[in-house]
Each structure stands twice: as structure tokens, then as C-alpha cells.
Amino acid sequence: MKKLIYFIIIAIGFSSCVDLDLNPNDRPSSGTFWKTPEDINLALTATYGSMRRNMWSFSTPCWDNLTDNSYGQHAEGQYGLTTNMVQGNIDPSSGGFVSEVYLGALADIARINIFLSKLKDFSGLDSTVKTQYEAEARMLRAYYYSYLYRGYGEVPIVSEPLTLETQYQEKKPQAEVYKFMMDDIDFAIANLKDATYSGAKGRWTRNAAKAYKARMILYTAYDDAGNMISSKMSEAKTVLSEITGYSLAPDFSDNFIDVKQETSPEIMMSIKFLAPNTTTSADMWYADWLVVSPLLNFMEEFEMKDGTPGTALPKKAGSKFTLDTETFTNASLANRDPRLAKTVFIEKYVINGTEYTAGNAKPTGAGLAKFLSSNLTPPYGYSTLSQQDWVIMRYADVLLMLAEAENELNGPTLLAYNSINTIRTRAGMPPLPAGLSKDDMRKRIRHERRIELAFEGQRYFDLKRWKTAKTVLNAVQDAPVVYKFEDKNYLWPIPQSEIDKNQGKLSQNTDYK
């Protein structure tokens, strides 16, 4: 049976540094809370609850709308305002991801800092348990800082609860932000439980923290010209080589289908949901509303079943970006890498063998099938209580990162081949051909990352860390809008609203002044 940490949002001083002289009887106050070990555990649980924000959880696929994988037809802020962003319309007043990541991450970090402060002063816990709780909270803080670091570079480092005197913070250099984040991760690795995902029941574990550490090391492992930094690659490979106890799930889709997630040997960390208490809008968003529309060039990236390059897909007459769904249908997907049919649908989504027509416009003729529920009754709508857990880290990514680090350091060795072929074999694809050069293997690894991890929120950050974002995104020709990525877009502006209210202490990123 699927299990869940119930994320209890309670009045424990998470939203204010000022105590009001009020004691409502229906909820604990900051004066009556923090008294028992159970209070501390509930407070930690509440910090995990912040991970259910859309942008960290079920709107994760929308991050791919910033890439060559897909297009987002909606302009509402909850979808990241990606239509504006891919056209290069990014400025200090931008909404969507540009403002929400900054505001959301710092709000969640503030809650964690309050928890850590209360935990430090609490004497009613065994020291081992207390250290474990600190490790979990600091890993959560590092998770939020990883988005601030990759999004804005220079941001305030907030390690203590803010007061009226300290609420205005200046930015710190990017290197200091990275060190602060990695110090939290290292503390977590040293003190988290050495448990599996199923055993940890939704909490951070040592191996999951190691995998996330490797992800962040690799984000810094290429210079501005896209050349690998050997010391960083070696560091990442060492961390990845220490990860044990995980394997690939029998089927690629087991990681995303609600009824299979709890027993997947591949998931290392996820954000948990359980209806009716905590639900998502994922099925409605992606099946009916088509919040994410896969681009043709993305679908063409999938190889044919025999491992040969994917052929061009037929376009609707007179269109550069819409699939001809009369000649290419869901049945046509069977000729490609099997992961394609498990990732997209053509015109109509298929649940348990029955096709359903998506309600919204279909800009490219395709929709996102990867995360749809097979145990809920379509057509999906407002009443659909989706409860997929949202995967943050899985073992396939560990194998892909290991292959990347190994190839960059030593070329296409047996380790690099085996890491990729393990994933391809699970997918039902033939192994890579022998005799690949280092450059050829690099292309294959990047291809596998794009295919295997599609819509899991990694493509945008991969393009940025490889320093290929400008080349790749400006070459997109099959989207309803013209893509534009400038060098300055490797970092985002600090939201102007935050600049305005920080009394001159917070300065704007240079390229957006």
C-alpha cells in the first residue's frame, strides 16, 4: 500500500517573527508548540510539505517548456510563463519561474531556518535523532538553494531566522552560495540514514543526498566554453561510485505510475502525495489541458526500434510545428524507441487501451503521457484526484551521470558503455555500437539523458551546464514562437519587487540593471 508523510501545516511561527496575543483553540500557537518530540517531528514533516509547491512537484514538466523538448501554450503564472521566457522576454518584472522560484525558495528556506533554530534549543530528543532531523532539514535547505544557485547565481545566504533587524539581506558571491549549499549536503550525507526510498517513506536518505550532490557538482563541471573541468568530474565520479542498493525498475513507467512507485527499486527521492488529503492536477494539466506540448524535433530524437536514427515526422500541410495526425498516430509510435510511446501521446491520450480526446488546443498535435494515471477514470478534469509521487532523483540518472563523468575523464570505457546500455536494455533498445569515440559517446550520453529524463525537469539545467543553451535553443524551428536565448539568460534577474523592498541592500544582477 502506498504510504505518505502527511504534510501538516501548523501555526508554529513559520510565517511571522511577531507573536500576536491570540490563542485560537483550533490550532497550536508558537507559545504552546515546540514542547514535545512529537511537535518537533510534526514541524519537520511540515518543512517537507513545502516541496509540494507546483514548481518543485507536479509542474516539473513545465521546465521542459523552456527547452527544445516542448512548448507551453498557457500564459498563466502557475505554468512558469514559459512562452515569454523562451522568446527572451526576461526582465526584473517577469513573473512565472523568474519570480516564483526566488520567492518560493526563500520562503521555504525561512521555514527550515525556524525549524533548525527550535531544534537546536530543544533538549527532549536523543542526540542521534536530533542530528538526523538536522540533516534532513539542511538537505531540504540545500535543495531549495540549488534552484536559487542555478537560477540567479548570487543570492542572499540566509542561515538563521530573520528578524525585523535582519530581514534585509545582501547578495553573496556565487561561489559562496555554492559552498553554503554543498556544506549542507555534506552534513546531510554524514548524518542521514543509510536507508532505501521505500524504507525512508519520503524522507531524504544518504544515497539520495549523494546523488543530488553529484548533480550539483556536475552543474559546475564545465567552463564557460563548455570544456569539462577534470577536478569536478573526478569529484562527481567518486560520489556516484559510492552509491549502492539501487537498480532499475523492470519497466521505465514504474517510476511514474502511482500504483508502482512504492515498490520501485529505482526511485531514490520523491515528493509524496496521497488522495484525498494531498493531490495534484497533473492528469488534468497534461492530458486534457495540454500544458506541455512535445515538439516534433524532440519526438524525432527517439531512435527507431532497431537503434537507427529517428526519421523525420510528417507535418500538417502548411505548418512548421504541427504533426500530421492523420498519417502519424498513436499506433505509429510502435516503430520507435518504446520510451516514446510511454512519454507522449498523439492527438488523443490512451488509458487502459481506450483513447480520449484532449480538451485544449493541440499546438503540435502531441501531448505528455509520461505521468498520466492508469488507475483513475478518464476523462481527467477538476474532480480528478491525482496522487502521483514526483520523482526528484532516480537511479537511471545516477547511471547517466556516472557515464558522463567517466567518458569525460577516460573516454568510452566499459564503465561508460555498461552504464548506458543498462538503461537501453531496460527500454528494449539495442546496446550502443562498439568503437565509439569520446565525442561520439558524449553525444550518445546527452541523447540518452534527453530521452530517459524527458519532462523530469533536467533538460533546461543540462543545456545550461553544458553551455549549449544558446546554440540549441536558438536553433529551434518547430515551435509556435521564435526562441531567443542570450548569454545573460544563463542567470535570471532578481525580482524587482524584492529589490524595491530591501532598502538598498539587495542589488540586481549585472546584466539586468
Side-chain angles (χ1 to χ4, degrees), residues 7 19 43 52 54 66 74 291 461 475:
F7 298 124
D19 288 331
R52 290 188 291 113
N54 289 6
L66 297 174
H74 297 87
V291 171
F461 296 114

Side-chain angles (χ1 to χ4, degrees), residues 24 49 52 79 81 147 154 161 203 207 236 250 278 281 345 357 368 384 412 423 432 457 477:
R52 290 188 291 113
Y79 310 122
L81 291 178
Y147 280 90
E154 297 182 349
R203 294 178 182 262
N207 276 321
T278 55
S281 301
F345 63 83
T357 301
L368 179 56
T384 303
I423 294 172
L432 296 179
Q477 298 293 323

Side-chain angles (χ1 to χ4, degrees), residues 317-332:
S319 175
K320 293 182 178 180
F321 54 82
T322 304
L323 188 66
D324 180 358
T325 56
E326 295 294 326
T327 60
F328 193 91
T329 66
N330 281 316
S332 306

Side-chain angles (χ1 to χ4, degrees), residues 170-181:
E170 61 184 13
K171 294 191 306 181
K172 297 298 182 184
Q174 195 166 1
E176 290 185 26
V177 177
Y178 180 80
K179 183 180 184 305
F180 179 76
M181 173 182 65

Side-chain angles (χ1 to χ4, degrees), residues 97 175 271 297:
F97 285 141
I271 303 167
N297 84 83

Side-chain angles (χ1 to χ4, degrees), residues 205-264:
T205 65
R206 181 170 299 156
N207 276 321
K210 286 179 179 179
Y212 206 82
K213 178 180 181 178
R215 177 179 289 175
M216 296 314 300
I217 294 170
L218 286 178
Y219 192 80
T220 67
Y222 295 87
D223 63 22
D224 290 342
N227 300 310
M228 75 95 174
I229 302 170
S230 59
S231 60
K232 289 285 189 176
M233 286 295 172
S234 296
E235 184 184 3
K237 181 184 172 183
T238 298
V239 174
L240 291 164
S241 299
E242 295 172 352
I243 295 173
T244 59
Y246 288 87
S247 60
L248 297 184
D251 190 280
F252 167 76
S253 295
D254 290 352
N255 298 295
F256 316 108
I257 298 175
D258 162 39
V259 294
K260 297 288 187 72
Q261 289 178 315
E262 281 299 304
T263 56
S264 171

Side-chain angles (χ1 to χ4, degrees), residues 178-454:
Y178 180 80
K179 183 180 184 305
F180 179 76
M181 173 182 65
M182 298 305 276
D183 284 347
D184 271 354
I185 294 177
D186 285 339
F187 182 88
I189 291 171
N191 295 287
L192 286 171
K193 289 182 178 179
D194 194 12
T196 62
Y197 167 79
S198 57
K201 298 179 174 60
R203 294 178 182 262
W204 282 101
T205 65
R206 181 170 299 156
N207 276 321
K210 286 179 179 179
Y212 206 82
K213 178 180 181 178
R215 177 179 289 175
M216 296 314 300
I217 294 170
L218 286 178
Y219 192 80
T220 67
Y222 295 87
D223 63 22
D224 290 342
N227 300 310
M228 75 95 174
I229 302 170
S230 59
S231 60
K232 289 285 189 176
M233 286 295 172
S234 296
E235 184 184 3
K237 181 184 172 183
T238 298
V239 174
L240 291 164
S241 299
E242 295 172 352
I243 295 173
T244 59
Y246 288 87
S247 60
L248 297 184
D251 190 280
F252 167 76
S253 295
D254 290 352
N255 298 295
F256 316 108
I257 298 175
D258 162 39
V259 294
K260 297 288 187 72
Q261 289 178 315
E262 281 299 304
T263 56
S264 171
E266 184 174 343
I267 298 175
M268 303 180 74
M269 180 60 187
S270 74
I271 303 167
K272 287 184 166 291
F273 290 85
L274 181 61
N277 300 81
T278 55
T279 62
T280 81
S281 301
D283 291 293
M284 178 175 67
W285 277 22
Y286 303 119
D288 189 66
W289 290 4
L290 271 73
V291 171
V292 168
S293 296
L295 295 176
L296 271 65
N297 84 83
F298 165 73
M299 293 184 282
E300 290 169 349
E301 180 77 8
F302 286 77
E303 299 168 15
M304 309 306 290
K305 284 193 73 173
D306 62 1
T308 56
T311 56
L313 298 180
K315 295 181 178 66
K316 188 175 181 178
S319 175
K320 293 182 178 180
F321 54 82
T322 304
L323 188 66
D324 180 358
T325 56
E326 295 294 326
T327 60
F328 193 91
T329 66
N330 281 316
S332 306
L333 299 175
N335 298 321
R336 306 257 172 169
D337 181 328
R339 288 173 289 188
L340 180 57
K342 297 175 181 179
T343 301
V344 308
F345 63 83
I346 307 302
E347 189 73 13
K348 300 179 179 182
Y349 61 97
V350 183
I351 301 296
N352 298 324
T354 302
E355 288 188 329
Y356 299 87
T357 301
N360 264 15
K362 309 168 186 66
T364 68
L368 179 56
K370 189 171 186 176
F371 308 101
L372 301 186
S373 300
S374 60
N375 59 323
L376 298 177
T377 304
Y380 301 131
Y382 286 105
S383 62
T384 303
L385 300 181
S386 303
Q387 61 173 12
Q388 309 95 319
D389 295 341
W390 286 87
V391 178
I392 293 174
M393 182 62 66
R394 59 188 178 99
Y395 188 62
D397 195 3
V398 170
L399 292 176
L400 289 165
M401 289 191 290
L402 184 59
E404 179 177 346
E406 173 66 6
N407 184 62
E408 294 299 334
L409 289 168
N410 303 310
T413 64
L414 184 61
L415 175 60
Y417 265 99
N418 286 346
S419 298
I420 295 297
N421 285 336
T422 298
I423 294 172
R424 290 177 64 86
T425 298
R426 191 265 297 272
M429 291 298 289
L432 296 179
L436 293 176
S437 68
K438 182 176 181 177
D439 288 344
D440 288 339
M441 178 60 85
R442 181 185 298 115
K443 292 175 183 176
R444 294 283 189 153
I445 291 170
R446 293 183 180 186
H447 161 84
E448 288 295 327
R449 285 193 66 83
R450 188 180 183 191
I451 296 305
E452 178 72 22
L453 303 178

